[in-house]
Amino acid sequence: NWSTHVPLIVRVPGLQKGKTESLVEFVDIYPTLCELCNLPFPKQLDGISFVPILKNLERKTKDKVYIQWEGGDNAVDRRYSYAEWMKGDVKKASMLFDHRIDGKENKNRVDEKKYKNKVESLSSFIRIKKSSLKK
């Protein structure tokens, strides 16, 4: 969902200027600041530092990210955005957008057979991520 995308502008003296398409999450900001300031990482942090991206704009740290919004859970990678809304263990609604052919997210492709494996993969990523957050 494009409404979950936000600009992230970071300026670090001595590191290169430029733009990257690397995926990061808000939870990555705290560990990044810890690394930049040479502070210890608290054990409860969920994110990972994106300093490697700041040092090399071609670098990638994550292949997909997790977002919670509008009562649902969203997994986004470089090509797809998949969201699902659960009630207990029952999936009430879901949607999948293929940004390669539908950059404006106009057609939900979740029920198209050719996307079945991608839906299962992203849904699994969401379940794993949510279970790790409960710990």
Side-chain angles (χ1 to χ4, degrees), residues 11-58:
R11 182 176 184 275
V12 180
L15 295 181
Q16 62 183 305
K17 296 177 183 177
K19 184 178 179 179
T20 181
E21 296 295 321
S22 293
L23 299 172
V24 298
E25 300 170 280
F26 285 133
V27 295
D28 300 331
I29 295 172
Y30 195 116
T32 300
L33 292 174
C34 287
E35 183 173 348
L36 289 171
C37 297
N38 294 314
L39 297 171
F41 287 38
K43 291 180 180 159
Q44 74 272 17
L45 292 182
D46 289 322
I48 62 168
S49 171
F50 57 83
V51 167
I53 296 170
L54 298 174
K55 292 181 176 179
N56 175 357
L57 297 175
E58 299 299 316

Side-chain angles (χ1 to χ4, degrees), residues 100-114:
R100 186 174 293 159
I101 59 175
D102 181 18
K104 294 185 178 180
E105 299 184 346
N106 289 314
K107 181 159 175 43
N108 183 359
R109 299 179 187 279
V110 77
D111 293 324
E112 292 182 28
K113 192 171 193 162
K114 72 178 187 175

Side-chain angles (χ1 to χ4, degrees), residues 56-72:
N56 175 357
L57 297 175
E58 299 299 316
R59 182 93 188 263
K60 310 286 186 237
T61 58
K62 296 181 177 186
D63 60 350
K64 54 184 137 313
V65 295
Y66 171 74
I67 304 157
Q68 289 181 312
W69 64 278
E70 295 292 322

Side-chain angles (χ1 to χ4, degrees), residues 66-89:
Y66 171 74
I67 304 157
Q68 289 181 312
W69 64 278
E70 295 292 322
D73 301 288
N74 193 198
V76 177
D77 66 17
R78 284 169 186 47
R79 180 172 174 181
Y80 299 99
S81 177
Y82 171 76
E84 60 186 26
W85 290 263
M86 305 291 288
K87 183 156 187 159
D89 291 335

